[in-house]
Amino acid sequence: MKLNERSVAHYATCDSPADHTGFLCKRVERHHHTTSYQRRWFVLKGNLLFYFEERESRDPLGLIVLEGCTVELCEAAEEFAFAIRFDGAGAKAYVLVADCQTAMEAWVKALSRASFDYMRLVVKELEKQLEEARKNLVVSHKFPKKSSSGRKRHLSNPTMVPVPEHPVIMENGYATWGDSYSLVGGVSFDHDGGYIKPPPLPPRRRLAGSNVSGVLTAGLASTVQESPVSPETACFSKLHDWYGQEIADVRREWLESQKRVEM
């Protein structure tokens, strides 16, 4: 492969982001089969591995094109050593040594993913996943899943009345239904769907206009009647109207007293 040295040197030192950088010791074969190591600053950009004499150097000492090669651990006297080997008889192998186990694993991982062969495999796998996702989308449009109504039914409820998610809370000034009860159609059920008795009636309140003996005023006494609420007729509307009569009478008397004061 013929490369333009100026263009390659500019690419090695330009501001484009590097995929991996760090110091490695590069093995050098010398005469008489002696071996030595040189500490160099390596920069990986795409499938090009540059190495410099120092970290601040602007001119790379060499370049390794990571195509048609394998990156593997190798046996060496030095610890944390790995090799870049190329296919073909007589091809040169580059033996590099990292400073620690973590750095060695990071370099092997980065160099193994740097070649275009690896990227080609990744693209094929992504295309396969995309095609499967498209097929699943077409199938889901042809056979949409039936959506549930979202209403819960209790098997122990013989009338199969849908129970709301949040029970109705009655706040009439006297009593409040707890969270463990639900009021449906005028009949109260617990969370298991069983019938329960309504809460006990609160004591009647005396008005300010009542006498010492506890006898209600004549106007209010005429409206006093038996409570319509019983285990057989648990109806909130009747209970509301029954207590509302007392409130209406109290309000009427208060308005009359205000008129008398103004006069």
Side-chain angles (χ1 to χ4, degrees), residues 22-26 38-42 82 96-98 107:
F23 280 105
L24 292 172
C25 291
K26 179 177 172 293
Q38 297 174 341
R39 187 173 175 84
R40 299 289 184 245
W41 175 255
F42 282 79
F82 62 95
L96 306 172
V97 180
W107 270 111

Side-chain angles (χ1 to χ4, degrees), residues 40 72 101 105 117 123 183 186 189 201 211 231 242 259 261:
R40 299 289 184 245
E72 58 188 25
Q101 180 73 21
E105 293 177 356
D117 290 337
V123 171
L183 187 66
F189 296 93
L201 293 177
N211 53 20
W242 189 68
K259 290 182 180 179
V261 171

Side-chain angles (χ1 to χ4, degrees), residues 170-176 202 205 243 247:
M170 302 168 58
E171 296 182 355
N172 54 18
Y174 296 97
T176 301
R205 293 183 298 179
Y243 282 111
I247 297 173

Side-chain angles (χ1 to χ4, degrees), residues 64-79:
I64 303 174
V65 181
L66 301 172
E67 291 298 333
C69 65
T70 58
V71 182
E72 58 188 25
L73 302 181
C74 65
E75 294 183 0
E78 291 73 21
E79 198 175 5

Side-chain angles (χ1 to χ4, degrees), residues 5 26 28 53 64 85 89 93 103 117 128-129 153 156-157 160 162 180 185 191 206 211 232 234 236 253-254 260:
E5 293 184 5
K26 179 177 172 293
V28 179
E53 185 174 0
I64 303 174
R85 303 185 187 278
D117 290 337
K128 182 180 178 181
Q129 294 179 10
R153 297 177 181 272
S156 59
N157 186 355
M160 295 302 290
S180 60
H191 282 181
R206 298 184 181 275
N211 53 20
E232 291 76 17
F236 176 74
E253 291 187 1
W254 180 80
R260 288 194 295 267

Side-chain angles (χ1 to χ4, degrees), residues 123-134 136:
V123 171
K124 286 184 179 180
E125 180 63 24
L126 292 176
E127 289 177 348
K128 182 180 178 181
Q129 294 179 10
L130 178 60
E131 186 63 25
E132 292 178 355
R134 287 175 176 173
N136 294 335

Side-chain angles (χ1 to χ4, degrees), residues 93-239:
Y94 295 87
V95 178
L96 306 172
V97 180
D99 293 337
C100 61
Q101 180 73 21
T102 303
M104 181 190 69
E105 293 177 356
W107 270 111
V108 171
K109 187 176 181 180
L111 296 174
S112 300
R113 297 179 175 182
S115 66
F116 282 109
D117 290 337
Y118 175 83
M119 295 302 298
R120 192 179 294 111
L121 293 176
V122 173
V123 171
K124 286 184 179 180
E125 180 63 24
L126 292 176
E127 289 177 348
K128 182 180 178 181
Q129 294 179 10
L130 178 60
E131 186 63 25
E132 292 178 355
R134 287 175 176 173
K135 290 180 181 180
N136 294 335
L137 185 61
V138 171
V139 172
S140 63
H141 281 304
K142 287 184 179 180
F143 306 100
K145 294 182 180 180
K146 294 182 180 180
S147 59
S148 59
S149 61
R151 292 183 177 181
K152 293 184 178 179
R153 297 177 181 272
H154 293 274
L155 298 178
S156 59
N157 186 355
T159 59
M160 295 302 290
V161 180
V163 179
E165 293 289 342
H166 303 286
V168 179
I169 298 177
M170 302 168 58
E171 296 182 355
N172 54 18
Y174 296 97
T176 301
W177 293 81
D179 294 339
S180 60
Y181 304 103
S182 299
L183 187 66
V184 181
V187 181
S188 56
F189 296 93
D190 59 13
H191 282 181
D192 295 329
Y195 172 79
I196 60 172
K197 294 182 179 181
L201 293 177
R204 300 286 293 172
R205 293 183 298 179
R206 298 184 181 275
L207 299 178
S210 59
N211 53 20
V212 178
S213 62
V215 181
L216 297 176
T217 57
L220 182 59
S222 61
T223 62
V224 174
Q225 54 182 331
E226 184 182 357
S227 170
V229 180
S230 63
E232 291 76 17
T233 58
C235 181
F236 176 74
S237 59
K238 291 182 180 181
L239 182 65

